[in-house]
Amino acid sequence: MSVPARRLARRGVPSRLRPSAVPRLAPLYVGAVQLGAYAAARLPERRRTELLRAHSTNVVNLRAGRWWTLATSAALVERPLPLPYAAALLTVLGTAEARWGARRAAGVFAAGHAGASLLVYAGLRGRVRGHPPDASARAVDVGASYRDSCRKPRRSRRG
């Protein structure tokens, strides 16, 4: 039992409200994201793109008032997570869950995901003013794909 959980136990806080020593929600979430990505990868390319685009927090979806995509985009990714990334995500979420409890950790994760998505949306919406919208307005994934494109080394133009 963790130190905060022991303190709460001494104060008479019911066990269902105390943080858990063994995270349960984090492995379920990471596993569901991975399984969902593998299942989506088995779909025909067009259907997979439609599915991911419908659940993306891109400018078109959020401008149309599809705010539920803030929740669904956290569970659907373009491709399965690389093993080191999945392990790091599991470690961070599991640690947060063990220290703060499942509800609080899920709340922090949801607020962080929604906040980051809305910041990206604000930046893209400011950039995408014309009609028809550019490719980023209807993008399948406006979060991780931008992160990945920023990490790719650029070729030098000098020959």
Side-chain angles (χ1 to χ4, degrees):
M1 187 181 302
S2 66
V3 173
R6 273 190 239 127
R7 284 187 198 133
L8 292 171
R10 274 187 264 142
R11 291 183 191 155
V13 175
S15 62
R16 70 182 191 291
L17 299 177
R18 284 185 241 144
S20 171
V22 178
R24 293 184 178 93
L25 196 59
L28 289 175
Y29 171 73
V30 174
V33 168
Q34 288 291 71
L35 289 174
Y38 284 118
R42 297 183 61 100
L43 292 172
E45 186 66 28
R46 182 179 168 145
R47 177 65 186 121
R48 185 177 79 81
T49 301
E50 288 172 2
L51 171 75
L52 292 171
R53 190 168 282 139
H55 296 280
S56 174
T57 53
N58 59 35
V59 174
V60 170
N61 281 342
L62 293 178
R63 189 180 281 173
R66 297 182 196 113
W67 297 104
W68 48 266
T69 61
L70 288 170
T72 59
S73 67
L76 292 169
V77 294
E78 275 188 272
R79 56 192 155 285
L81 304 173
L83 188 57
Y85 183 82
L89 181 62
L90 182 60
T91 300
V92 170
L93 293 178
T95 301
E97 184 181 344
R99 286 189 179 182
W100 302 332
R103 278 190 195 164
R104 192 173 187 192
V108 169
F109 173 78
H113 174 73
S117 296
L118 291 173
L119 280 174
V120 170
Y121 168 64
L124 290 175
R125 184 166 179 178
R127 191 176 68 100
V128 180
R129 294 242 184 242
H131 294 283
D134 71 352
S136 64
R138 294 194 50 79
V140 170
D141 184 2
V142 293
S145 56
Y146 287 145
R147 177 203 67 221
D148 292 343
S149 67
C150 292
R151 290 191 320 192
K152 290 179 183 171
R154 294 184 179 167
R155 286 187 167 170
S156 173
R157 292 196 172 176
R158 291 186 281 172

